[in-house]
Amino acid sequence: MKNLFLILVLGLALPTLAAERFTSDADHTFAFFEFNHLGYSVQRSRFDKLSATLELDRENRSGKIEATIAVASVSTGSAAFNQTLLGEGFFDAAKFPTISFTSTALAFDRFDGIASVTGDLTIKGTTLPVTLTLSNYRCMIHPLLRKEACGANASTTIRRSAFGLGKFAPLVGDTVTITIAIEALKAE
């Protein structure tokens, strides 16, 4: 009986082996953002450097996602506009060099795919809850690398003014759609 009790106690203390860890592929992971510019057009830009990790426990339908964007990697297609966005009036990259996201819950669909991710988004020192809706979610063996990979597109809409980025609103739209394209490889 003592041996059974010891086995149960040790079993509870050991980490679960069901969770898998995935790390984003820098060549296939980017964050895009779009906003209305003076009513003329919808402008689309991106951040070139986003790193993320995914801990996925498919058996228990749970997991955690953490992502960090390097603000200095903003890429609008215009060097002058990049500098404007990096300045104090917008991202203030010298003081706030990263944007971060930490999940608080993953919602799975009936086929065990991740349908949405709720979490905390931090931009310019302000943290607010957001929900990312996923599409194209898929995990499979990567045909070239011969290792497991997961990928998805995730999107959410925020009010930039809520994060201290309200300069020129409402002339320049306050509503910003963020879309993340991510591919992540299983850690060895």
Side-chain angles (χ1 to χ4, degrees):
M1 195 64 154
K2 287 181 184 178
N3 288 340
L4 179 58
F5 177 74
L6 183 60
I7 290 170
L8 287 173
V9 169
L10 288 175
L12 292 174
L14 294 175
T16 178
L17 299 177
E20 301 167 286
R21 184 175 174 87
F22 295 82
T23 304
S24 60
D25 173 359
D27 293 332
H28 296 96
T29 302
F30 303 97
F32 301 87
F33 60 98
E34 57 185 60
F35 57 93
N36 185 299
H37 185 253
L38 302 171
Y40 292 121
S41 63
V42 173
Q43 294 289 300
R44 292 177 183 89
S45 299
R46 78 179 196 181
F47 291 98
D48 290 336
K49 293 184 181 173
L50 184 155
S51 62
T53 57
L54 164 64
E55 291 179 14
L56 183 59
D57 183 345
R58 295 177 231 210
E59 183 178 322
N60 293 308
R61 296 172 61 105
S62 65
K64 183 172 184 159
I65 297 172
E66 292 184 346
T68 303
I69 296 170
V71 173
S73 73
V74 69
S75 179
T76 65
S78 164
F81 189 42
N82 290 350
Q83 289 308 307
T84 298
L85 290 179
L86 294 174
E88 291 178 17
F90 286 99
F91 287 106
D92 196 1
K95 188 173 179 182
F96 304 101
T98 61
I99 295 170
S100 64
F101 175 82
T102 301
S103 68
T104 55
L106 277 61
F108 289 77
D109 63 22
R110 63 188 177 126
F111 301 109
D112 292 332
I114 301 171
S116 65
V117 179
T118 302
D120 295 322
L121 177 64
T122 302
I123 302 174
K124 203 173 177 182
T126 300
T127 302
L128 295 171
V130 298
T131 298
L132 299 166
T133 303
L134 271 62
S135 62
N136 300 320
Y137 173 79
R138 184 174 198 179
C139 291
M140 64 181 203
I141 300 298
H142 192 288
L144 300 175
L145 301 175
R146 305 281 188 235
K147 64 191 301 187
E148 190 164 12
C150 292
N153 294 94
S155 63
T156 191
T157 301
I158 64 167
R159 283 185 320 103
R160 64 187 177 92
S161 60
F163 291 93
L165 298 166
K167 189 172 183 178
F168 302 126
L171 287 174
V172 175
D174 193 26
T175 301
V176 176
T177 300
I178 300 169
T179 303
I180 298 167
I182 184 169
E183 294 183 18
L185 302 171
K186 188 172 179 180
E188 306 263 337

